[in-house]
Amino acid sequence: MKTLLTIAVSAALLTSMGAKAQSRPQPMDQRTERLVTLMVERDNGNKVYPWSKVQVPVSEVEAKINELLSDPSVISVERSQTIKRPQPPKVNKSANAMPMMASGASVWTFNDPGFPDQKIYQNTNGHDMRLLEAAERVDDANAMRIGVLDSGFSRIQDVTYETGYNFANDAPIGPAFLLEDIAYCSDQEASAESTLFYRHGTVVSAVATASANNYSGIAGVSQNATVVAGRVMDCSGYGQLDTIADGILWQIGASVPSAPGAPVIEPVDVINISISSTAPDCPAYLQSAVDAATQKGIPIVVAAGNDSYRADRGIAMCDGVITVAATTHDGDLASFTNTGPNVDIAATGETIRAVTVNDRLTYASGTSFASPIMAAVIANTQKRVGNASPADIIYALTRSGTPANNNATGFGLGGGIIDAMILMDEMGVPRDIVAAVNGLSGEREQYKEAFLHPAAEAFLGGKSVCEMVEIDAGSMPNADKTQPVTIFRVPKGIPLLPSNGMVMDQAIGQDRFFTNAITESEAKLYDFGIAQCDISSSANCSQKTSIRGIDGDSLLRADGCSSSKISRRKL
C-alpha cells in the first residue's frame, strides 16, 4: 500500500521560523517561491537507503505527490521536516565564575589553560563522571573518528577536522564546510550576537575532541580523536531532517543518493547530533539512515533538547539512537533539559568549559554539550571494544549511571548520570592487566638445560616449558577465593567477559600457576583474560574485582626458546 505521511509543525514554531526567515537570505532558487523537499521511497533495489529527494515549489506540492504516487515503483512519499540549532539556554551565570575543585587529585593534569576550570573532570559534591580515570584504561595510540552533524564549524587549534562535507542548501553541496569558506556565513558571523550559537559545531567538536597538552583551549573527553564534520544546517542554524539522513549515510561510509559527488569515506566510530526538531516522530527516511548505521555497528548519540519538556520529538524518537539529557555539575537536573522514557543516559550539560573561534575560552550550556561528552566516552570505549553493537552500548548504559539528586526523581534520565568507569566495566574493558611470563624466563632461565631436557618435557606431559606461561592472579584480592582462577579467551574486539568466550584452563587454590593455554597462534586471534568468579552464572564477575586482562607484551620467550615474542599486541 502506498502511503503519504505528513507531519504537522506547531503554529508557534512556524510563526517563529517565519520571523527569522525574513531576516536571513535564502538561496537564489528559493527567493521567488519556497521549495518543499519530498522524500520518495522507491522499490529500486537499494537495500541500504531506498529514498530519494524531489524539490518542488510549495504551490505544486499536492500535484507532485499525486504524480509520484501514480508511479508503480513509488512506495511512499514524505515531506521533509525542519531542524534547527538549539538556542543556548539561560543559566545562572554566577556558576561560571569560580570552578569547584575536585575533592581528590585528577588522574591526569594537562597544561591547557582551560583545564583547571573543566568541572566535568572533577568530583563536585560527590558527583563525578570519572572521565579521565576511564580514559586511562584504553590505548591512546588508537585514534578514534567522531562524526559530528551540525553547522558552525570553524578552524581552531584544538580541533582536528579529518574531513568534512556540506549538505545544507545555503551553499554549494560539496567539500566547503567551514564557516571561513562560505561567504554568506562570514558576513553573518560579523554581526552575530552569539558566537556560541553561530559556532555551535566548533564548540561541540571541541568538547568531544579538543587536543590535550597543547597549551591551548581545553582537554577534550576523547583527546586524540579527529572530527568528521557533516554540515547539515545553514548559517542561521536551520535545515531539514533529510540533510541529517544525508550526513548519517556519508559518515557511515555509504553513498548519498542526493549528493552523488560526496566521496565515500571510511566509516566513523560514533556519530554525534546536537540538533533540535519538532517533528512528532522519527520520519521513515531518517529511521532508514539510522538503521543503516546500526547495521554497521555505528552508535548515534543525540541531544535530548532544551525545552524543559519530554524528549519525544524528531531524532530522539528514532529507534536505536542514544539520547542524552543534561544535569548540573552538582548532580541536579538541568533546568532546561528534556527528559522522559526516550532518554538513555545523562551527562553534565551546564556551564561546560569550552573553546570557540580564535581559540577563545568560553562556557557552554545545553544538552548539545552533554551529548558530545557521551559520544566521546563511547568513542573511548570503542577503542578497546570495537565490535560492540549500538544495542550492546544502550543496554550497558542502563547499568552505567549513578542517581541524580532528588530534584530529578520521576523525570526520566535513563540509566542516570554517566559513570564512564562503570560503562567500561559493563563493556568488558579490563581495569587492570596481569603479567604472563614465559615458563623459562626470570630466575628459571639459569636452569634452562634441565628444563629443556627430554625427561622434563615428558614430565610435563609432552609440553615444552617454552610453551608454558606463568600467570599471577594475586592482583584480585577482592575476588571470590572459593572459585577457581579461570583463563578464558574472546575474539579480539569483543568485551573481555567469560560469558563471551571459551574457558581455556583453570587453577584451584593458587594465585600463581603455569598454563599452556596461550599459544603463539592463538594470541594473534584472541584476547585472553583471567577471572575468579562463578563463570557459569556470571555472579560476582566484574572488571572491578574479579576479571583482569593478560598482557601480551609480557610474553617474551627466553633466549633458550626463541628471540621473538609470542605476541606484540596487548591482549
Side-chain angles (χ1 to χ4, degrees):
M1 177 182 295
K2 296 184 179 182
T3 58
L4 168 61
L5 303 180
T6 58
I7 302 175
V9 181
S10 71
L13 176 65
L14 288 172
T15 301
S16 173
M17 287 170 47
K20 289 182 177 293
Q22 293 174 6
S23 63
R24 58 191 179 100
Q26 297 294 317
M28 288 299 297
D29 59 353
Q30 294 186 28
R31 290 177 184 171
T32 55
E33 185 175 4
R34 184 171 65 87
L35 295 179
V36 173
T37 299
L38 300 178
M39 299 299 296
V40 184
E41 182 184 16
R42 297 179 185 273
D43 184 11
N44 57 8
N46 189 332
K47 296 182 180 180
V48 176
Y49 196 71
W51 297 84
S52 60
K53 298 182 186 182
V54 176
Q55 286 195 322
V56 296
V58 65
S59 62
E60 301 175 14
V61 168
E62 295 304 324
K64 190 62 178 180
I65 289 173
N66 291 332
E67 176 189 334
L68 289 167
L69 291 176
S70 67
D71 184 337
S73 69
V74 172
I75 299 172
S76 65
V77 179
E78 296 192 25
R79 303 187 194 200
S80 184
Q81 301 300 303
T82 300
I83 58 175
K84 64 177 181 177
R85 185 187 302 137
Q87 288 284 351
K90 294 181 179 180
V91 298
N92 180 10
K93 294 185 178 180
S94 64
N96 296 347
M98 290 294 292
M100 296 182 66
M101 298 309 294
S103 58
S106 294
V107 180
W108 288 331
T109 299
F110 299 118
N111 60 32
D112 308 272
F115 177 71
D117 297 344
Q118 288 189 265
K119 293 197 286 184
I120 61 172
Y121 297 134
Q122 300 168 7
N123 184 320
T124 306
N125 292 342
H127 290 275
D128 189 349
M129 294 186 289
R130 297 200 289 178
L131 302 176
L132 295 181
E133 293 90 336
E136 281 197 328
R137 294 169 63 175
V138 295
D139 182 4
D140 200 49
N142 184 15
M144 305 303 285
R145 301 164 69 247
I146 298 179
V148 178
L149 296 181
D150 213 300
S151 68
F153 295 105
S154 189
R155 295 184 184 91
I156 61 170
Q157 184 175 338
D158 253 0
V159 173
T160 300
Y161 296 108
E162 179 179 312
T163 187
Y165 208 78
N166 173 59
F167 297 95
N169 66 1
D170 66 332
I173 305 300
F177 69 97
L178 292 168
L179 282 172
E180 294 86 352
D181 298 331
I182 301 173
Y184 162 51
C185 288
S186 299
D187 295 340
Q188 180 106 344
E189 184 64 26
S191 60
E193 295 180 1
S194 172
T195 300
L196 174 62
F197 179 73
Y198 286 97
R199 303 282 178 164
H200 194 267
T202 307
V203 180
V204 167
S205 299
V207 170
T209 72
S211 300
N213 270 346
N214 64 344
Y215 295 95
S216 175
I218 60 172
V221 177
S222 188
Q223 293 135 15
N224 70 331
T226 59
V227 172
V228 176
R231 184 176 182 268
V232 294
M233 294 179 292
D234 63 22
C235 303
S236 299
Y238 284 86
Q240 297 187 131
L241 280 175
D242 62 272
T243 60
I244 296 288
D246 291 342
I248 292 173
L249 293 173
W250 179 66
Q251 291 187 340
I252 67 172
S255 60
V256 183
S258 64
V264 176
I265 63 173
E266 285 295 316
V268 299
D269 297 293
V270 60
I271 297 173
N272 182 82
I273 306 176
S274 295
I275 293 173
S276 297
S277 170
T278 57
D281 58 12
C282 177
Y285 58 86
L286 182 58
Q287 186 64 61
S288 291
V290 172
D291 291 343
T294 299
Q295 290 166 9
K296 287 200 171 188
I298 299 172
I300 298 177
V301 183
V302 306
N306 303 335
D307 307 307
S308 304
Y309 193 63
R310 292 168 63 91
D312 58 0
R313 295 288 186 272
I315 308 165
M317 294 290 286
C318 296
D319 292 337
V321 302
I322 298 166
T323 303
V324 185
T327 59
T328 69
H329 295 283
D330 294 325
D332 288 334
L333 185 73
S335 60
F336 51 80
T337 187
N338 290 354
T339 56
N342 288 320
V343 170
D344 296 289
I345 199 73
T348 304
E350 186 171 298
T351 61
I352 304 295
R353 199 59 160 146
V355 63
T356 184
V357 61
N358 297 326
D359 300 288
R360 181 170 59 82
L361 288 170
T362 186
Y363 285 96
S365 294
T367 57
S368 287
F369 310 105
S371 179
I373 290 174
M374 193 64 245
V377 169
I378 291 173
N380 287 342
T381 305
Q382 296 283 71
K383 288 183 182 181
R384 181 59 178 80
V385 188
N387 291 331
S389 70
D392 293 334
I393 296 170
I394 290 172
Y395 175 74
L397 288 174
T398 66
R399 302 155 57 93
S400 299
T402 58
N405 293 340
N406 290 337
N407 79 326
T409 302
F411 279 89
L413 292 180
I417 303 173
I418 183 63
D419 184 324
M421 288 287 280
I422 299 177
L423 176 62
M424 288 196 171
D425 289 347
E426 292 293 329
M427 294 301 296
V429 178
R431 286 198 180 201
D432 204 356
I433 301 292
V434 298
V437 296
N438 184 263
L440 201 57
S441 297
E443 61 185 13
R444 292 182 294 274
E445 193 167 358
Q446 61 184 312
Y447 305 112
K448 67 180 180 180
E449 292 185 4
F451 278 119
L452 295 176
H453 193 278
E457 184 170 325
F459 178 77
L460 293 172
K463 292 286 186 179
S464 167
V465 69
C466 292
E467 298 173 338
M468 307 189 77
V469 295
E470 183 183 24
I471 301 293
D472 183 358
S475 64
M476 300 187 294
N478 297 320
D480 183 354
K481 297 302 181 181
T482 65
Q483 298 290 334
V485 176
T486 299
I487 298 176
F488 66 97
R489 75 182 190 193
V490 300
K492 287 189 178 295
I494 297 296
L496 191 69
L497 299 169
S499 58
N500 289 338
M502 177 183 295
V503 173
M504 304 302 295
D505 201 358
Q506 288 186 319
I508 300 175
Q510 304 175 68
D511 277 344
R512 297 183 67 176
F513 59 92
F514 287 91
T515 180
N516 58 16
I518 306 175
T519 66
E520 181 174 1
S521 60
E522 288 176 335
K524 297 177 181 178
L525 300 173
Y526 299 97
D527 288 341
F528 284 81
I530 60 173
Q532 194 166 20
C533 55
D534 184 356
I535 62 172
S536 61
S537 65
S538 296
N540 299 321
C541 291
S542 165
Q543 301 289 343
K544 184 176 181 180
T545 57
S546 56
I547 298 175
R548 296 290 182 265
I550 294 177
D551 182 7
D553 282 350
S554 66
L555 296 174
L556 278 168
R557 287 202 169 197
D559 290 340
C561 300
S562 170
S563 61
S564 64
K565 284 192 174 186
I566 289 181
S567 172
R568 283 298 303 167
R569 298 184 66 179
K570 185 157 286 187
L571 303 175

